[in-house]
Amino acid sequence: MMTKKMEQAINDQMQKEFYSSYLYLSMSAYCYENNLKGFGHWMKLQSQEETSHGMKFYEYMIARGNRVLLEPIEQPPHAFKSLTEVIQKSLEHEKKVTALLHRLYELTMKEKDYASQGILQWYINEQVEEEATVNEILQKLKLISDKSSAILYLDKEMGKRAP
Ligand code: FEO
């Protein structure tokens, strides 16, 4: 069993993962609305991945004999100016999540919660991959600027993402 402080902090982080899922789902809807089916598909799968991140904490809390307390999930933004803004916001969001995970890791050191360090290391590694992927998409979008044929090509590529 983990300390109450750790329990609260992991419940908070679980909420962030479920919020991430909500955010990507909102971004997915924006992409579909703007006829970017490939991006819509990619974002929808990203949303599912974030749900699985939330569920990984959920299972972990139960395995440790701690209390899962689901917190309210606020409404995500739904009005975006452009596809580039969507991807920029996604990168900003991932950076925030990374910072929160680092803070949580620091707490495990204070609380001497070695088991939680193991699972958090998984999340931290996952963040490296997620930030790199989103950054790569952003850089491609910047390169192609608003050339619609290149955006359509990229959209097709995004649509190839497998679950
Ligand atoms: Fe689960 Fe993209 O952070």
Side-chain angles (χ1 to χ4, degrees):
M1 213 175 195
M2 65 184 84
T3 63
K4 280 284 157 203
K5 222 176 188 175
M6 273 308 304
E7 182 182 279
Q8 174 70 52
I10 291 197
N11 274 314
D12 290 348
Q13 190 62 34
M14 192 190 317
Q15 188 269 0
K16 296 287 180 298
E17 300 294 340
F18 287 128
Y19 172 77
S20 301
S21 174
Y22 226 38
L23 174 66
Y24 282 113
L25 200 55
S26 181
M27 290 173 167
S28 170
Y30 169 87
C31 295
Y32 280 121
E33 278 161 28
N34 287 278
N35 302 312
L36 293 160
K37 278 190 185 166
F39 277 92
H41 168 79
W42 193 93
M43 290 289 176
K44 194 170 63 182
L45 290 189
Q46 190 58 31
S47 166
Q48 287 169 7
E49 195 171 315
E50 297 297 355
T51 299
S52 76
H53 292 175
M55 288 307 294
K56 195 175 170 80
F57 276 130
Y58 174 94
E59 303 293 353
Y60 176 66
M61 293 287 263
I62 289 171
R64 292 284 307 269
N66 281 87
R67 191 80 212 280
V68 170
L69 281 173
L70 296 175
E71 299 170 9
I73 301 173
E74 65 269 29
Q75 185 178 31
H78 54 271
F80 303 98
K81 285 192 209 93
S82 64
L83 177 61
T84 304
E85 194 196 46
V86 168
I87 306 297
Q88 255 161 356
K89 285 211 180 305
S90 155
L91 184 58
E92 280 165 25
H93 177 73
E94 290 303 336
K95 284 183 177 173
K96 265 188 228 159
V97 171
T98 301
L100 288 170
L101 285 165
H102 288 173
R103 234 196 281 158
L104 194 47
Y105 194 90
E106 280 164 23
L107 185 64
T108 65
M109 293 196 283
K110 273 193 211 134
E111 300 288 302
K112 295 189 172 41
D113 188 338
Y114 305 112
S116 294
Q117 285 179 5
I119 189 171
L120 283 172
Q121 193 60 59
W122 180 89
Y123 281 92
I124 289 166
N125 293 343
E126 183 75 9
Q127 284 307 117
V128 173
E129 202 185 292
E130 289 203 343
E131 279 189 33
T133 306
V134 178
N135 191 39
E136 196 185 319
I137 300 166
L138 183 61
Q139 295 316 315
K140 279 183 187 162
L141 278 173
K142 281 183 177 168
L143 264 180
I144 62 183
S145 184
D146 53 3
K147 286 186 207 83
S148 47
S149 57
I151 291 174
L152 287 178
Y153 175 77
L154 189 56
D155 188 55
K156 213 171 169 190
E157 290 297 301
M158 297 292 283
K160 289 180 186 163
R161 177 175 177 174

